[in-house]
Amino acid sequence: MLAALWFVSASLAAQPVPRDATSALSLSCSLANARQGVERGVATWYGPGLHERTTASGEKFNMHDFTAAHKTLPFGSLVMVRNLRNGRKVVVRINDRGPFSPNRVIDLSQAAASSLGMKARGRDTVVLCPAYPSAQGND
């Protein structure tokens, strides 16, 4: 059920996520959207050791792209990740499976982790929301 709520249309999901996707899309991720599928937990990141290896979706992992691994969300789903420690947010595209460590909800690419200000820490508590254009144009 949750995965169905996160599904993004094939035309949108097929597009690469621009580096400035958070500002390019008008996103909506608030407590009011909790009924539409919000997930909270620990995010970690991965990069150099897996760069250019094949992901579960069949594409090559690029640590410089805004991508992520999630246990159940459909490949191609766009997800806004908000760092609860500093308020930063980024949009990632799901292209891999994981994380396989307990109590973690998402593994982010190095680029996404850097944008969220969590690269040095290695992990942070985040909220995941479906990324889609908002009619209101506010966060």
Side-chain angles (χ1 to χ4, degrees):
M1 172 82 171
L2 179 62
L5 294 172
W6 288 75
F7 184 74
V8 178
S9 70
S11 61
L12 183 58
Q15 301 299 317
V17 178
R19 296 204 185 273
D20 63 347
T22 304
S23 59
L25 289 174
S26 178
L27 301 173
S28 180
C29 183
S30 65
L31 293 177
N33 289 340
R35 283 176 237 116
Q36 296 179 7
V38 173
E39 191 173 359
R40 178 185 169 140
V42 175
T44 53
W45 68 273
Y46 63 116
L50 298 172
H51 185 65
E52 296 188 348
R53 288 198 173 178
T54 304
T55 65
S57 68
E59 68 182 81
K60 296 279 185 188
F61 172 65
N62 184 336
M63 65 185 189
H64 305 295
D65 289 343
F66 285 80
T67 58
H70 190 275
K71 293 174 188 162
T72 60
L73 294 178
F75 294 133
S77 295
L78 297 179
V79 178
M80 188 178 78
V81 182
R82 184 183 300 237
N83 186 328
L84 294 178
R85 181 178 52 85
N86 60 23
R88 291 183 186 180
K89 57 190 173 183
V90 68
V91 175
V92 296
R93 182 176 49 83
I94 303 300
N95 73 338
D96 205 0
R97 289 291 171 233
F100 298 108
S101 299
N103 305 319
R104 295 185 188 169
V105 296
I106 197 165
D107 275 338
L108 302 165
S109 65
Q110 180 177 317
S114 292
S115 288
L116 289 172
M118 60 171 274
K119 185 178 167 196
R121 294 173 62 93
R123 58 188 291 158
D124 255 327
T125 302
V126 299
V127 172
L128 309 180
C129 302
Y132 54 89
S134 168
Q136 293 84 15
N138 53 8
D139 294 35

